[in-house]
Amino acid sequence: MNFLTDAIAWISNPALHEGANSLTARIGEHLGYTFGAVLIGALIAIPLGILVGHTRRGAGIAVTFTGGLRALPSLGVLILIALSVGIGFQAPLATFVIMAIPPLLSGTYAGIHAVNPATVDAARAMGMTPLQVIFQVEFPLALPLVMAGVRSAILQVVATATLAAYVSGGALGVYIFSALARRDYTQMLAASLIVIALAFALEGLFALLQRLARPHGTVVLPVK
Amino acid sequence: MDWLAKNWELVINLSWVHIGLSILPVVVGLAVALPLGWVAFRYKRVGRFLVPASGLLYTIPSLPLFIALPVVLGTSILDPANLVVGLTIYAVALLVRQIVDALASVSQDVRQASVAMGYSSWQRFWRVDLPLAGPVLLSGLRVVAVSTVSLVSIGSVIGVTSLGYLFLNGFKRGIPAEVFTGVVATVIIAFLFDGALVLIGRFAMPWKRKVTS
């Protein structure tokens, strides 16, 4: 148990909370990666998911593609990109975008695909243009599943963002990797606990957002 | 290619280690998740707590989990057990919900028919519920297998050698070919695992040629 008390003492050390390298700054970098990568990933994956779900074409390719991306080892991809673009924040950001795309794409695709075809037909019969069908009918009804995709993308990136420090990309992994080099278990553990707490906090926040995303008067069936 | 030609023996050896480290968490994870999933399905009140709780375990980021486990397990930080236990926890986290869904996919009529035929609940589980839940369970196992294979390499950061060694060593020495080889080998192993599970599914469930999720 004294590992834990040591870790808590490490976190509450006032020196940690001052200056440009403070804990707050590292948490800021960690969140920056998380939201930045998911935002860029969403700009790519959500339109693609809408396209596949709306046209009901290319679903097979989308599934194979997302499955293939999921099999990629994040550390290897990160290092491979870092070796070509150099150390810093670009390689981690690019890696995290790649990690964020599969859940966003499959969430959007599944959400649009699950919309009752009769509802879409009704919307068309009412004279809606294809764009109106997408933005006023399909996307709002798909929103809970899109948000489920966003939630798992956030989770995925907040976890892998720890690796950014391996290629000098900052974020909370800085404490872990510098401690690994010095075999300073207290600092390793303390930083790990902070990352875990951050992941739990984001998970709670996005679970709430996912619930709020449900349109009034609809029932969401669990899709897995 | 030059790098691979000179080091293929290392790559093969590391691949075997990687495979060994990946199999254990999937097998043990299934063995642990099966009774938990059954309990969660059978006793809905327990399930309402057990399913979200196991899902929450999946929220814990991998590297921090491997680092925090020695405190719980009393192991050394360099012990491979931290990696294997951590990956098993993820497998359980994903599989408990999947097993509940899988058991729920079994038709209520079939279940009642087996009771009427005099099956005990033990027989019913092994001869009716589990085989019919197989396809949904298998699709969950495939996800677990692929994610386990890709996560094993993170262990190299805390000193557990696998194909991840090629990433760290390639970075230190600035050899992209080495890192690339590691990535490709990991993806190949993930696909082999996936293919093996699909094949096992075909043999174990000959009545269901197509696996649906």
mmCIF file with all atom_site columns, all heavy atoms in Angstrom, chain B residues 130-147:
data_model
loop_
_atom_site.group_PDB
_atom_site.id
_atom_site.type_symbol
_atom_site.label_atom_id
_atom_site.label_alt_id
_atom_site.label_comp_id
_atom_site.label_asym_id
_atom_site.label_entity_id
_atom_site.label_seq_id
_atom_site.pdbx_PDB_ins_code
_atom_site.Cartn_x
_atom_site.Cartn_y
_atom_site.Cartn_z
_atom_site.occupancy
_atom_site.B_iso_or_equiv
_atom_site.pdbx_formal_charge
_atom_site.auth_seq_id
_atom_site.auth_comp_id
_atom_site.auth_asym_id
_atom_site.auth_atom_id
_atom_site.pdbx_PDB_model_num
ATOM 1   N N   . LEU B 1 130 ? -25.047 -22.917 -25.071 1.00 0.00 ? 130 LEU B N   1
ATOM 2   C CA  . LEU B 1 130 ? -23.718 -22.531 -25.550 1.00 0.00 ? 130 LEU B CA  1
ATOM 3   C C   . LEU B 1 130 ? -23.540 -22.756 -27.060 1.00 0.00 ? 130 LEU B C   1
ATOM 4   O O   . LEU B 1 130 ? -23.086 -21.855 -27.758 1.00 0.00 ? 130 LEU B O   1
ATOM 5   C CB  . LEU B 1 130 ? -22.631 -23.245 -24.739 1.00 0.00 ? 130 LEU B CB  1
ATOM 6   C CG  . LEU B 1 130 ? -21.211 -22.731 -24.980 1.00 0.00 ? 130 LEU B CG  1
ATOM 7   C CD1 . LEU B 1 130 ? -21.097 -21.263 -24.587 1.00 0.00 ? 130 LEU B CD1 1
ATOM 8   C CD2 . LEU B 1 130 ? -20.190 -23.553 -24.205 1.00 0.00 ? 130 LEU B CD2 1
ATOM 9   N N   . PRO B 1 131 ? -23.917 -23.937 -27.588 1.00 0.00 ? 131 PRO B N   1
ATOM 10  C CA  . PRO B 1 131 ? -23.757 -24.109 -29.039 1.00 0.00 ? 131 PRO B CA  1
ATOM 11  C C   . PRO B 1 131 ? -24.562 -23.094 -29.844 1.00 0.00 ? 131 PRO B C   1
ATOM 12  O O   . PRO B 1 131 ? -24.060 -22.559 -30.836 1.00 0.00 ? 131 PRO B O   1
ATOM 13  C CB  . PRO B 1 131 ? -24.286 -25.532 -29.284 1.00 0.00 ? 131 PRO B CB  1
ATOM 14  C CG  . PRO B 1 131 ? -24.170 -26.221 -27.981 1.00 0.00 ? 131 PRO B CG  1
ATOM 15  C CD  . PRO B 1 131 ? -24.355 -25.176 -26.935 1.00 0.00 ? 131 PRO B CD  1
ATOM 16  N N   . LEU B 1 132 ? -25.777 -22.802 -29.410 1.00 0.00 ? 132 LEU B N   1
ATOM 17  C CA  . LEU B 1 132 ? -26.599 -21.865 -30.181 1.00 0.00 ? 132 LEU B CA  1
ATOM 18  C C   . LEU B 1 132 ? -26.113 -20.429 -30.014 1.00 0.00 ? 132 LEU B C   1
ATOM 19  O O   . LEU B 1 132 ? -26.300 -19.591 -30.894 1.00 0.00 ? 132 LEU B O   1
ATOM 20  C CB  . LEU B 1 132 ? -28.076 -21.986 -29.769 1.00 0.00 ? 132 LEU B CB  1
ATOM 21  C CG  . LEU B 1 132 ? -28.748 -23.292 -30.222 1.00 0.00 ? 132 LEU B CG  1
ATOM 22  C CD1 . LEU B 1 132 ? -30.175 -23.347 -29.722 1.00 0.00 ? 132 LEU B CD1 1
ATOM 23  C CD2 . LEU B 1 132 ? -28.717 -23.415 -31.743 1.00 0.00 ? 132 LEU B CD2 1
ATOM 24  N N   . ALA B 1 133 ? -25.478 -20.147 -28.875 1.00 0.00 ? 133 ALA B N   1
ATOM 25  C CA  . ALA B 1 133 ? -24.929 -18.811 -28.657 1.00 0.00 ? 133 ALA B CA  1
ATOM 26  C C   . ALA B 1 133 ? -23.595 -18.669 -29.374 1.00 0.00 ? 133 ALA B C   1
ATOM 27  O O   . ALA B 1 133 ? -23.046 -17.562 -29.471 1.00 0.00 ? 133 ALA B O   1
ATOM 28  C CB  . ALA B 1 133 ? -24.751 -18.552 -27.155 1.00 0.00 ? 133 ALA B CB  1
ATOM 29  N N   . GLY B 1 134 ? -23.067 -19.779 -29.868 1.00 0.00 ? 134 GLY B N   1
ATOM 30  C CA  . GLY B 1 134 ? -21.733 -19.822 -30.471 1.00 0.00 ? 134 GLY B CA  1
ATOM 31  C C   . GLY B 1 134 ? -21.403 -18.736 -31.475 1.00 0.00 ? 134 GLY B C   1
ATOM 32  O O   . GLY B 1 134 ? -20.371 -18.063 -31.341 1.00 0.00 ? 134 GLY B O   1
ATOM 33  N N   . PRO B 1 135 ? -22.247 -18.529 -32.496 1.00 0.00 ? 135 PRO B N   1
ATOM 34  C CA  . PRO B 1 135 ? -21.889 -17.542 -33.520 1.00 0.00 ? 135 PRO B CA  1
ATOM 35  C C   . PRO B 1 135 ? -21.662 -16.139 -32.953 1.00 0.00 ? 135 PRO B C   1
ATOM 36  O O   . PRO B 1 135 ? -20.693 -15.469 -33.325 1.00 0.00 ? 135 PRO B O   1
ATOM 37  C CB  . PRO B 1 135 ? -23.093 -17.567 -34.467 1.00 0.00 ? 135 PRO B CB  1
ATOM 38  C CG  . PRO B 1 135 ? -23.675 -18.923 -34.299 1.00 0.00 ? 135 PRO B CG  1
ATOM 39  C CD  . PRO B 1 135 ? -23.458 -19.287 -32.857 1.00 0.00 ? 135 PRO B CD  1
ATOM 40  N N   . VAL B 1 136 ? -22.552 -15.684 -32.053 1.00 0.00 ? 136 VAL B N   1
ATOM 41  C CA  . VAL B 1 136 ? -22.387 -14.337 -31.485 1.00 0.00 ? 136 VAL B CA  1
ATOM 42  C C   . VAL B 1 136 ? -21.145 -14.299 -30.593 1.00 0.00 ? 136 VAL B C   1
ATOM 43  O O   . VAL B 1 136 ? -20.366 -13.337 -30.614 1.00 0.00 ? 136 VAL B O   1
ATOM 44  C CB  . VAL B 1 136 ? -23.643 -13.911 -30.692 1.00 0.00 ? 136 VAL B CB  1
ATOM 45  C CG1 . VAL B 1 136 ? -23.445 -12.536 -30.073 1.00 0.00 ? 136 VAL B CG1 1
ATOM 46  C CG2 . VAL B 1 136 ? -24.866 -13.908 -31.600 1.00 0.00 ? 136 VAL B CG2 1
ATOM 47  N N   . LEU B 1 137 ? -20.936 -15.397 -29.843 1.00 0.00 ? 137 LEU B N   1
ATOM 48  C CA  . LEU B 1 137 ? -19.760 -15.481 -28.982 1.00 0.00 ? 137 LEU B CA  1
ATOM 49  C C   . LEU B 1 137 ? -18.481 -15.432 -29.817 1.00 0.00 ? 137 LEU B C   1
ATOM 50  O O   . LEU B 1 137 ? -17.523 -14.738 -29.489 1.00 0.00 ? 137 LEU B O   1
ATOM 51  C CB  . LEU B 1 137 ? -19.823 -16.784 -28.176 1.00 0.00 ? 137 LEU B CB  1
ATOM 52  C CG  . LEU B 1 137 ? -18.658 -17.080 -27.243 1.00 0.00 ? 137 LEU B CG  1
ATOM 53  C CD1 . LEU B 1 137 ? -18.518 -15.957 -26.233 1.00 0.00 ? 137 LEU B CD1 1
ATOM 54  C CD2 . LEU B 1 137 ? -18.876 -18.395 -26.523 1.00 0.00 ? 137 LEU B CD2 1
ATOM 55  N N   . LEU B 1 138 ? -18.502 -16.146 -30.938 1.00 0.00 ? 138 LEU B N   1
ATOM 56  C CA  . LEU B 1 138 ? -17.321 -16.194 -31.799 1.00 0.00 ? 138 LEU B CA  1
ATOM 57  C C   . LEU B 1 138 ? -16.968 -14.808 -32.347 1.00 0.00 ? 138 LEU B C   1
ATOM 58  O O   . LEU B 1 138 ? -15.798 -14.433 -32.382 1.00 0.00 ? 138 LEU B O   1
ATOM 59  C CB  . LEU B 1 138 ? -17.566 -17.173 -32.956 1.00 0.00 ? 138 LEU B CB  1
ATOM 60  C CG  . LEU B 1 138 ? -16.375 -17.394 -33.879 1.00 0.00 ? 138 LEU B CG  1
ATOM 61  C CD1 . LEU B 1 138 ? -15.252 -18.100 -33.146 1.00 0.00 ? 138 LEU B CD1 1
ATOM 62  C CD2 . LEU B 1 138 ? -16.773 -18.194 -35.111 1.00 0.00 ? 138 LEU B CD2 1
ATOM 63  N N   . SER B 1 139 ? -17.990 -14.036 -32.737 1.00 0.00 ? 139 SER B N   1
ATOM 64  C CA  . SER B 1 139 ? -17.687 -12.712 -33.281 1.00 0.00 ? 139 SER B CA  1
ATOM 65  C C   . SER B 1 139 ? -17.026 -11.841 -32.208 1.00 0.00 ? 139 SER B C   1
ATOM 66  O O   . SER B 1 139 ? -16.140 -11.045 -32.509 1.00 0.00 ? 139 SER B O   1
ATOM 67  C CB  . SER B 1 139 ? -18.944 -12.066 -33.855 1.00 0.00 ? 139 SER B CB  1
ATOM 68  O OG  . SER B 1 139 ? -19.793 -11.648 -32.818 1.00 0.00 ? 139 SER B OG  1
ATOM 69  N N   . GLY B 1 140 ? -17.419 -12.030 -30.939 1.00 0.00 ? 140 GLY B N   1
ATOM 70  C CA  . GLY B 1 140 ? -16.771 -11.301 -29.851 1.00 0.00 ? 140 GLY B CA  1
ATOM 71  C C   . GLY B 1 140 ? -15.338 -11.760 -29.648 1.00 0.00 ? 140 GLY B C   1
ATOM 72  O O   . GLY B 1 140 ? -14.428 -10.953 -29.453 1.00 0.00 ? 140 GLY B O   1
ATOM 73  N N   . LEU B 1 141 ? -15.129 -13.069 -29.719 1.00 0.00 ? 141 LEU B N   1
ATOM 74  C CA  . LEU B 1 141 ? -13.782 -13.625 -29.542 1.00 0.00 ? 141 LEU B CA  1
ATOM 75  C C   . LEU B 1 141 ? -12.833 -13.111 -30.605 1.00 0.00 ? 141 LEU B C   1
ATOM 76  O O   . LEU B 1 141 ? -11.657 -12.866 -30.348 1.00 0.00 ? 141 LEU B O   1
ATOM 77  C CB  . LEU B 1 141 ? -13.835 -15.152 -29.629 1.00 0.00 ? 141 LEU B CB  1
ATOM 78  C CG  . LEU B 1 141 ? -13.871 -15.934 -28.333 1.00 0.00 ? 141 LEU B CG  1
ATOM 79  C CD1 . LEU B 1 141 ? -13.830 -17.420 -28.632 1.00 0.00 ? 141 LEU B CD1 1
ATOM 80  C CD2 . LEU B 1 141 ? -12.686 -15.555 -27.433 1.00 0.00 ? 141 LEU B CD2 1
ATOM 81  N N   . ARG B 1 142 ? -13.346 -12.935 -31.830 1.00 0.00 ? 142 ARG B N   1
ATOM 82  C CA  . ARG B 1 142 ? -12.500 -12.451 -32.921 1.00 0.00 ? 142 ARG B CA  1
ATOM 83  C C   . ARG B 1 142 ? -12.015 -11.033 -32.625 1.00 0.00 ? 142 ARG B C   1
ATOM 84  O O   . ARG B 1 142 ? -10.836 -10.717 -32.837 1.00 0.00 ? 142 ARG B O   1
ATOM 85  C CB  . ARG B 1 142 ? -13.263 -12.488 -34.239 1.00 0.00 ? 142 ARG B CB  1
ATOM 86  C CG  . ARG B 1 142 ? -13.557 -13.901 -34.706 1.00 0.00 ? 142 ARG B CG  1
ATOM 87  C CD  . ARG B 1 142 ? -14.440 -13.919 -35.920 1.00 0.00 ? 142 ARG B CD  1
ATOM 88  N NE  . ARG B 1 142 ? -13.807 -13.268 -37.066 1.00 0.00 ? 142 ARG B NE  1
ATOM 89  C CZ  . ARG B 1 142 ? -14.425 -13.041 -38.217 1.00 0.00 ? 142 ARG B CZ  1
ATOM 90  N NH1 . ARG B 1 142 ? -15.679 -13.387 -38.375 1.00 0.00 ? 142 ARG B NH1 1
ATOM 91  N NH2 . ARG B 1 142 ? -13.785 -12.461 -39.209 1.00 0.00 ? 142 ARG B NH2 1
ATOM 92  N N   . VAL B 1 143 ? -12.911 -10.181 -32.111 1.00 0.00 ? 143 VAL B N   1
ATOM 93  C CA  . VAL B 1 143 ? -12.516 -8.809  -31.757 1.00 0.00 ? 143 VAL B CA  1
ATOM 94  C C   . VAL B 1 143 ? -11.441 -8.849  -30.666 1.00 0.00 ? 143 VAL B C   1
ATOM 95  O O   . VAL B 1 143 ? -10.426 -8.152  -30.736 1.00 0.00 ? 143 VAL B O   1
ATOM 96  C CB  . VAL B 1 143 ? -13.742 -7.994  -31.274 1.00 0.00 ? 143 VAL B CB  1
ATOM 97  C CG1 . VAL B 1 143 ? -13.306 -6.644  -30.732 1.00 0.00 ? 143 VAL B CG1 1
ATOM 98  C CG2 . VAL B 1 143 ? -14.744 -7.825  -32.408 1.00 0.00 ? 143 VAL B CG2 1
ATOM 99  N N   . VAL B 1 144 ? -11.673 -9.704  -29.657 1.00 0.00 ? 144 VAL B N   1
ATOM 100 C CA  . VAL B 1 144 ? -10.725 -9.806  -28.544 1.00 0.00 ? 144 VAL B CA  1
ATOM 101 C C   . VAL B 1 144 ? -9.360  -10.283 -29.047 1.00 0.00 ? 144 VAL B C   1
ATOM 102 O O   . VAL B 1 144 ? -8.318  -9.721  -28.679 1.00 0.00 ? 144 VAL B O   1
ATOM 103 C CB  . VAL B 1 144 ? -11.260 -10.780 -27.471 1.00 0.00 ? 144 VAL B CB  1
ATOM 104 C CG1 . VAL B 1 144 ? -10.187 -11.091 -26.441 1.00 0.00 ? 144 VAL B CG1 1
ATOM 105 C CG2 . VAL B 1 144 ? -12.478 -10.192 -26.796 1.00 0.00 ? 144 VAL B CG2 1
ATOM 106 N N   . ALA B 1 145 ? -9.356  -11.294 -29.924 1.00 0.00 ? 145 ALA B N   1
ATOM 107 C CA  . ALA B 1 145 ? -8.093  -11.847 -30.412 1.00 0.00 ? 145 ALA B CA  1
ATOM 108 C C   . ALA B 1 145 ? -7.290  -10.781 -31.150 1.00 0.00 ? 145 ALA B C   1
ATOM 109 O O   . ALA B 1 145 ? -6.092  -10.591 -30.890 1.00 0.00 ? 145 ALA B O   1
ATOM 110 C CB  . ALA B 1 145 ? -8.361  -13.040 -31.317 1.00 0.00 ? 145 ALA B CB  1
ATOM 111 N N   . VAL B 1 146 ? -7.947  -10.053 -32.057 1.00 0.00 ? 146 VAL B N   1
ATOM 112 C CA  . VAL B 1 146 ? -7.232  -9.043  -32.847 1.00 0.00 ? 146 VAL B CA  1
ATOM 113 C C   . VAL B 1 146 ? -6.690  -7.938  -31.946 1.00 0.00 ? 146 VAL B C   1
ATOM 114 O O   . VAL B 1 146 ? -5.538  -7.516  -32.076 1.00 0.00 ? 146 VAL B O   1
ATOM 115 C CB  . VAL B 1 146 ? -8.147  -8.468  -33.957 1.00 0.00 ? 146 VAL B CB  1
ATOM 116 C CG1 . VAL B 1 146 ? -7.509  -7.258  -34.614 1.00 0.00 ? 146 VAL B CG1 1
ATOM 117 C CG2 . VAL B 1 146 ? -8.450  -9.541  -34.991 1.00 0.00 ? 146 VAL B CG2 1
ATOM 118 N N   . SER B 1 147 ? -7.507  -7.469  -30.985 1.00 0.00 ? 147 SER B N   1
ATOM 119 C CA  . SER B 1 147 ? -7.022  -6.368  -30.148 1.00 0.00 ? 147 SER B CA  1
ATOM 120 C C   . SER B 1 147 ? -5.917  -6.859  -29.203 1.00 0.00 ? 147 SER B C   1
ATOM 121 O O   . SER B 1 147 ? -4.984  -6.115  -28.912 1.00 0.00 ? 147 SER B O   1
ATOM 122 C CB  . SER B 1 147 ? -8.173  -5.691  -29.399 1.00 0.00 ? 147 SER B CB  1
ATOM 123 O OG  . SER B 1 147 ? -8.497  -6.385  -28.240 1.00 0.00 ? 147 SER B OG  1
#
